[in-house]
């Protein structure tokens, strides 16, 4: 979280924001051509970019709970070495899971990710 990357995407007009999201690809990105879909999802997408691009935390801030970071091996937005930086933000355990895929690696790895999440949740209930 202390890696500050602000590409200014959250400040783009709607057409620019749509173009940026489409560059990332992902299932259903062609749905963004529909004005009704745009009206429904653009506020959330812009909010996500605003949060990601403007959030700031010091490099020495840590939490005591374990962190499991997930990323795609060809993600143009988050490199594996950048995801690895989460290790420095916990005094608990750290695990990095790298999946095949780009920024939307979750689309092709849904079952494996759900299995991982279920396994982690099961440890909380023991």
């Amino acid at each position: 979280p202390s890696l500050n990357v602000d590409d200014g995407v959250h400040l783009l007009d709607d057409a620019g924001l749509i173009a940026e999201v489409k560059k990332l690809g992902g299932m259903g990105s062609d749905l963004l051509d529909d004005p009704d879909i745009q009206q429904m999802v653009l506020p959330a997408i812009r909010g996500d970019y605003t949060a990601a691009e403007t959030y700031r935390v010091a490099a020495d801030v840590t939490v005591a709970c374990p962190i499991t970071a997930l990323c795609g091996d060809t993600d143009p937005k988050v490199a594996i070495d950048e995801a690895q930086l989460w290790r420095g933000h916990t005094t608990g355990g750290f695990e990095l899971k790298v999946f095949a895929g780009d920024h939307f690696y979750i689309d092709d790895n849904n079952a494996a990710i759900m299995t991982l999440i279920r396994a982690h949740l099961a440890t909380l209930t023991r």
Side-chain angles (χ1 to χ4, degrees):
S2 61
L3 182 63
N4 300 322
V5 178
D6 185 352
D7 295 327
V9 175
H10 71 284
L11 299 173
L12 295 174
D13 63 12
D14 287 353
L17 182 60
I18 290 167
E20 188 67 25
V21 171
K22 284 185 166 192
K23 274 195 325 192
L24 291 174
M27 281 194 319
S29 64
D30 58 328
L31 289 173
L32 291 173
D33 293 332
D34 182 312
D36 291 331
I37 298 292
Q38 289 176 12
Q39 183 179 3
M40 189 170 41
V41 301
L42 279 182
I45 293 171
R46 187 175 305 283
D48 285 350
Y49 271 101
T50 300
E53 292 182 335
T54 63
Y55 180 77
R56 300 290 180 259
V57 68
D60 62 348
V61 171
T62 60
V63 294
C65 66
I67 293 176
T68 300
L70 312 178
C71 68
D73 61 356
T74 60
D75 187 339
K77 289 287 190 181
V78 181
I80 294 170
D81 60 333
E82 293 171 335
Q84 191 71 252
L85 295 174
W86 279 89
R87 177 183 306 277
H89 290 282
T90 182
T91 59
F94 176 81
E95 188 175 10
L96 175 64
K97 295 288 189 179
V98 180
F99 294 90
D102 57 18
H103 192 69
F104 295 100
Y105 65 90
I106 194 169
D107 291 343
D108 294 326
N109 297 283
N110 191 286
I113 292 168
M114 291 304 296
T115 298
L116 176 70
I117 291 170
R118 283 188 194 102
H120 279 282
L121 290 175
T123 66
L124 298 176
T125 59
R126 290 183 191 153

